[in-house]
Amino acid sequence: MPELPEVETIKRGLVQRLARKPRITAIELKCGDLRRPVREEELGALVGQRLTAVTRRAKYLVFVTEKFNLVNHLGMTGSWRFEKGGGHLKHDHFVMTLSDKTKLIYNDPRRFGLLRLVETGSDEHAAVWGRLGPEPLERDFDSGYLWKQTRGCRSSIKAWLMDQRRVVGVGNIYASEALFQAGIRPRRQAGRIKQAECKSLVTAVRRVLNSAIDSGGSTIRDYRNATGSEGGFQNLLSVYGRGGDPCRHCKNRIASNVLAGRSTFWCPRCQK
Ligand SMILES: [Zn+2]
């Protein structure tokens, strides 16, 4: 499942291709049977709208038009691509024809993705975004926030990091990697993380996410960026997916276990 760096990478690719802010001249919904069923009438309101921006909030891509936000979550296998001619592929579910004669196509074999149109400023708009925590790369996620929000919290620090109401966009891969860099065991109770550790954890989260964005995300299973190529961060992972392998820092074996239903990796020597 794509996490923040993958969605950010895809977003940057889309922003480049949509720099001239084309108008949407037609839409076609071939299959609306996604995670949340969607109908062609709902998305039809996009016709005539200009695509003014593509942004990211948490793990959502947001296609911004004059009146609407088309909110997209890629689920397990969603992807966007541009086509000049016909080029129809299996599992192409949604097609936007643009005024520059290209087609912007959403493909999703497993159909866990989300397409939802919300009117800017509506109650629904507020409801969609209201429950999300701060962005990890923005200023309001700092060591003071982490310290305050974890006090009295009895869940593990890894589960805390992955809770989108606490901080958005950090999934299993990047939570594991950031905890390694900060020297904190994933299983530690969030409420017991010390003040100095909060500081190093915030730094580690930012560093891990930024270097993943710099290398175009991690390709684990199906993720591809906007140009169809793989990310490179999977080659730089320190612990995730490396159970039994030597730690890159101390050569001790990386341990793995299941924590809160998710596979978890750590170095028993480097992480306390
Ligand atoms: Zn180690």
Side-chain angles (χ1 to χ4, degrees), residues 44-248:
L46 283 168
V47 176
Q49 292 280 304
R50 193 177 281 283
L51 270 171
T52 55
V54 184
T55 60
R56 179 192 57 75
R57 173 77 173 108
K59 300 177 200 174
Y60 296 92
L61 279 172
V62 187
F63 295 87
V64 181
T65 73
E66 291 128 320
K67 272 174 116 171
F68 300 99
N69 282 180
L70 174 63
V71 180
N72 166 238
H73 190 290
L74 297 162
M76 307 282 283
T77 54
S79 65
W80 290 93
R81 73 176 196 282
F82 290 89
E83 287 279 356
K84 283 241 180 232
H88 175 72
L89 297 179
K90 201 173 171 188
H91 309 299
D92 282 350
H93 301 316
F94 177 58
V95 181
M96 288 189 271
T97 305
L98 306 177
S99 51
D100 61 7
K101 306 283 182 255
T102 58
K103 287 179 184 205
L104 178 53
I105 301 170
Y106 181 66
N107 184 286
D108 190 352
R110 294 190 62 185
R111 292 185 303 188
F112 285 115
L114 171 82
L115 286 173
R116 179 169 180 176
L117 194 66
V118 289
E119 204 171 332
T120 316
S122 65
D123 291 349
E124 197 189 4
H125 190 262
V128 167
W129 302 121
R131 293 184 56 198
L132 294 174
E135 287 283 332
L137 296 176
E138 284 174 17
R139 266 202 218 146
D140 40 357
F141 179 69
D142 62 9
S143 56
Y145 173 85
L146 181 59
W147 167 257
K148 233 165 108 184
Q149 294 289 318
T150 48
R151 291 314 91 189
C153 177
R154 300 180 66 176
S155 69
S156 70
I157 185 63
K158 179 164 176 260
W160 191 96
L161 282 175
M162 291 173 64
D163 183 343
Q164 302 299 298
R165 292 166 300 182
R166 308 288 200 173
V167 58
V168 299
V170 184
N172 204 19
I173 301 172
Y174 300 109
S176 305
E177 292 296 306
L179 286 165
F180 173 76
Q181 285 201 11
I184 300 169
R185 283 203 193 193
R187 193 176 282 282
R188 285 263 304 277
Q189 212 178 77
R192 299 233 168 131
I193 300 296
K194 300 186 186 91
Q195 211 149 9
E197 289 174 321
C198 287
K199 213 169 168 186
S200 42
L201 186 51
V202 165
T203 307
V205 166
R206 290 176 192 260
R207 194 188 299 138
V208 163
L209 292 174
N210 277 322
S211 58
I213 292 169
D214 287 345
S215 47
S218 304
T219 295
I220 305 224
R221 294 192 209 103
D222 303 301
Y223 161 78
R224 294 289 183 279
N225 67 24
T227 55
S229 47
E230 294 193 354
F233 195 70
Q234 67 278 9
N235 305 317
L236 304 175
L237 296 171
S238 298
V239 286
Y240 184 85
R242 300 193 63 241
D245 289 355
C247 170
R248 298 196 202 280

Side-chain angles (χ1 to χ4, degrees), residues 180 247-252 254 267-271:
F180 173 76
C247 170
R248 298 196 202 280
H249 184 70
C250 74
K251 306 284 180 256
N252 204 49
I254 300 297
C267 173
R269 193 174 291 169
C270 295
Q271 292 172 262

